[in-house]
Amino acid sequence: MAIIELKKLCKTYFSEEVATPVLHDINFDVEDGEFVAIMGPSGSGKSTLLHILGFLDDQTKGTYRFNGKQMEDYTEEEIARIRNKEMGFVFQAFNLLPRISVYDNVRLPLVYSDVPEKEWDKRVRHAIESVDLAHRSDFLPTKLSGGEKQRVAIARALVLNPKVIFADEPTGNLDTKSGQNIMEILQALNEEKEDHHTIILITHETTVAECAKRVIHIKDGRISSDRHVTKRNKGNGIFK
């Protein structure tokens, strides 16, 4: 079943009546449980595409269906619910609150959810344990390494058990070992039998992209190739 469907999707930005086309006739589907890397150089349009997929921006033309329903047919309340409950986001810059603990950063999405408060602690601890950071629960983000901060960001994305995790250059600010660890975690989340997650990864690095099961290349706002990875990299040992 396709969880994401794009048909002839285009995006143009307008500034003082000057049009800047960014995406042109984007067509692809993402099935539930896939791990897809969207790859391209800076300025290719891949981050703009991610923002549209994550309901952070809208297209200029074409259609985007999430769970079978067109984006424009969702109400603002439905979009807010989907972004909170069905989508998780991991960004290159981590986007953690520096003055609250790891535990409280991971707990934050629950505050805006309909999950009963009595379940919060269990969910937070499970998410933190899933990225092997239980020993850092009470630490402030300022006391963590870059790799640990990104693992906190993944735990925060996981706490509501979303269908889709969007990861925008998640290894971009990390050293070799930390980047390797993050890719291992994302692969494991995708391969879980009971609670597997659909993962859409944005990257400009070939070795990172080929940790996914499918790679979509974007160049100048257009899809230049869309292929399944026949010899998939594992996180271990890819950053050399």
Side-chain angles (χ1 to χ4, degrees), residues 21-137:
V22 179
L23 297 173
H24 311 271
D25 291 328
I26 302 295
N27 296 280
F28 66 83
D29 296 347
V30 176
E31 299 292 321
D32 183 31
E34 280 199 270
F35 187 163
V36 180
I38 298 174
M39 185 182 173
S42 295
S44 61
K46 60 186 185 298
S47 289
T48 297
L49 178 56
L50 181 80
H51 289 166
I52 293 172
L53 295 176
F55 287 177
L56 299 168
D57 199 354
D58 54 10
Q59 73 272 25
T60 306
K61 293 193 300 182
T63 60
Y64 169 30
R65 293 179 181 272
F66 183 82
N67 274 342
K69 186 174 178 178
Q70 289 189 188
M71 180 181 180
E72 53 266 33
D73 291 337
Y74 284 108
T75 66
E76 290 186 9
E77 291 77 12
E78 286 174 328
I79 287 175
R81 183 190 62 78
I82 288 170
R83 291 192 66 245
N84 177 259
K85 189 172 182 180
E86 299 190 42
M87 296 177 174
F89 297 87
V90 181
F91 297 103
Q92 181 177 350
F94 317 130
N95 293 347
L96 303 178
L97 297 181
R99 296 184 180 180
I100 63 175
S101 68
V102 165
Y103 182 97
D104 287 333
N105 267 281
V106 174
R107 185 177 69 96
L108 197 58
L110 291 163
V111 175
Y112 304 99
S113 75
D114 57 3
V115 176
E117 191 169 351
K118 64 182 181 180
E119 295 183 20
W120 290 6
D121 183 68
K122 180 180 178 181
R123 282 181 176 246
V124 172
R125 295 192 184 283
H126 177 71
I128 293 173
E129 287 169 3
S130 72
V131 297
D132 195 26
L133 278 181
H135 60 300
R136 295 283 193 263
S137 288

Side-chain angles (χ1 to χ4, degrees), residues 94 133 144-152 174 178-179 181-182:
F94 317 130
L133 278 181
L144 303 179
S145 68
E148 288 173 332
K149 289 177 184 177
Q150 195 60 290
R151 282 192 275 160
V152 176
L174 305 181
S178 297
N181 182 255
I182 293 305

Side-chain angles (χ1 to χ4, degrees), residues 130-133 145-152 154 170-171 174-189 211 234-239:
S130 72
V131 297
D132 195 26
L133 278 181
S145 68
E148 288 173 332
K149 289 177 184 177
Q150 195 60 290
R151 282 192 275 160
V152 176
I154 292 173
T171 65
L174 305 181
D175 60 34
T176 297
K177 185 176 180 180
S178 297
Q180 170 185 311
N181 182 255
I182 293 305
M183 293 314 301
E184 288 173 348
I185 290 171
L186 291 176
Q187 288 177 326
L189 292 171
C211 290
K234 290 295 181 181
N236 184 31
I238 67 171
F239 295 86

